Amino acid sequence: MMPDFFPSEAGVEYESSELTMGVFRDEEYVEELELNALLKLERGAPQTTLTGHRHFEFAISEWEVQGRSEALDGVISLSLANVPQPHSLCLAAQPDGDFPSVISYNAIFDVYFNNARVLESQTGLGIGTGIMQIPPRGIDIAFQKAFELGDWSFRAGACKKMASMTEREFTAQADEFRALRED
């Protein structure tokens, strides 16, 4: 049974998901890059706007993403940049209930190729509509986290198969991702 309302109190969530991004070289499609993602977010308590729509803000406090590109023959990693992060938002689509809702994820991230940071402070935006529960399940989040490396471009994609995880699971996997990047 799905909940009728947003979580009533502030909280911390740990998530895993799969990201896909189209990879292009000189405007020609090369591959669909598949990445594993880990997300820690700090969710505020719901509030009501002046128009009667409920919403809550949240901040992404950790984000580690990693996947192997066959075309580039290396590992692409994304990690939150060490800068103040923008707030993200989940907003009820109508004033008489929390669901369906629209969720918007905002992040500023760095890009790594193998062990080297190749881009800093890239902006990213993810949008999901028709959200029926928090954390979102069973719906893809479209995102725009496009970036370029020389004549290679990484374009908009999707976040799929979102699943909750424990803090311990999150920490262990995030540490593994960071260790692989630092080797």
Side-chain angles (χ1 to χ4, degrees), residues 9 17 36 40 44 66 75 77 103 111-112 119 126 143 148 152 158 166-167 179 182:
E9 298 178 1
S17 63
N36 294 312
K40 175 183 175 185
Q66 193 169 84
V75 175
S77 301
I103 195 164
V111 178
Y112 294 80
L119 295 170
F143 69 80
E148 294 185 3
W152 296 88
T166 66
E167 180 179 8
E182 294 168 1

Side-chain angles (χ1 to χ4, degrees), residues 36 38-39 58 72 158:
N36 294 312
L38 305 171
L39 175 74
F58 60 97
L72 277 81

